[in-house]
Amino acid sequence: MKKKCIRALLGLALTAIALAASAQYQPHNSIYLGASVGNAHYTNGCSFGPPPCDDRDTSGRFFAGLQFNRWLAIETGWATFGKLAVGGTDIKASAADFVGVLTVPVEGRFAAFLKGGVYHGDMKSTSVDTRKDAGTFGWGLQYNAGERAALRAEWQRYVRMGGSELLETTHIDFLSVGLLIRLR
């Protein structure tokens, strides 16, 4: 009987600790805005033409989302990937995306997330303008600095950005750090 009482009290204490820890931060039903900056890598980008080739450039992304509960959100964004310089020609790329985000709390204020969805991309140079719809996916880590702000580090791939005139095997990998601000 004594062991059962100790177990019950221990279970009650652990439940109280868990509830207190979960009450610290709950990002339920929040709208958020954010921006990130990083580096884009055009995979297979140098196969477009002759050297010299520079297949990496500074990039940025603006995004907005709706967090439904602690785990699920939807997010839309617009990214510019700088330029791919091949043989004296500059090819610029940008994309608008719509993704679902699955967030898993890791420890304290840290969380890991996976995202996946679709994008509408545009690659253009002086002679070619190609638009493409395809898939995007990524993953990252997030540090919730408080109720209103979070820092992100993430990697996202935009699959087959090319089109009919450009190689369709060109994926764009976007590695970035960003700031997320919750509006409510």
Side-chain angles (χ1 to χ4, degrees), residues 137-160:
F137 61 92
W139 60 271
L141 295 173
Q142 180 169 302
Y143 174 74
N144 295 304
E147 279 190 38
R148 298 268 187 206
L151 300 172
R152 279 185 172 182
E154 67 182 291
W155 171 85
Q156 187 168 349
R157 172 169 276 189
Y158 293 82
V159 180
R160 297 185 177 177

Side-chain angles (χ1 to χ4, degrees), residues 63-81:
F63 57 91
L66 175 60
Q67 185 84 36
F68 295 112
N69 56 39
R70 190 173 186 178
W71 298 279
L72 297 174
I74 56 172
E75 187 174 293
T76 186
W78 178 81
T80 179
F81 304 113

Side-chain angles (χ1 to χ4, degrees), residues 7-71:
R7 287 181 191 155
L9 287 174
L10 184 60
L12 190 59
L14 289 174
T15 302
I17 290 170
L19 286 174
S22 67
Q24 289 177 4
Y25 170 67
Q26 295 292 332
H28 298 258
N29 296 326
S30 63
I31 296 171
Y32 60 87
L33 300 173
S36 58
V37 65
N39 193 352
H41 175 232
Y42 292 77
T43 63
N44 298 329
C46 290
S47 60
F48 280 123
C53 178
D54 184 10
D55 61 358
R56 297 174 193 268
D57 201 5
T58 303
S59 304
R61 181 173 183 262
F62 296 99
F63 57 91
L66 175 60
Q67 185 84 36
F68 295 112
N69 56 39
R70 190 173 186 178
W71 298 279

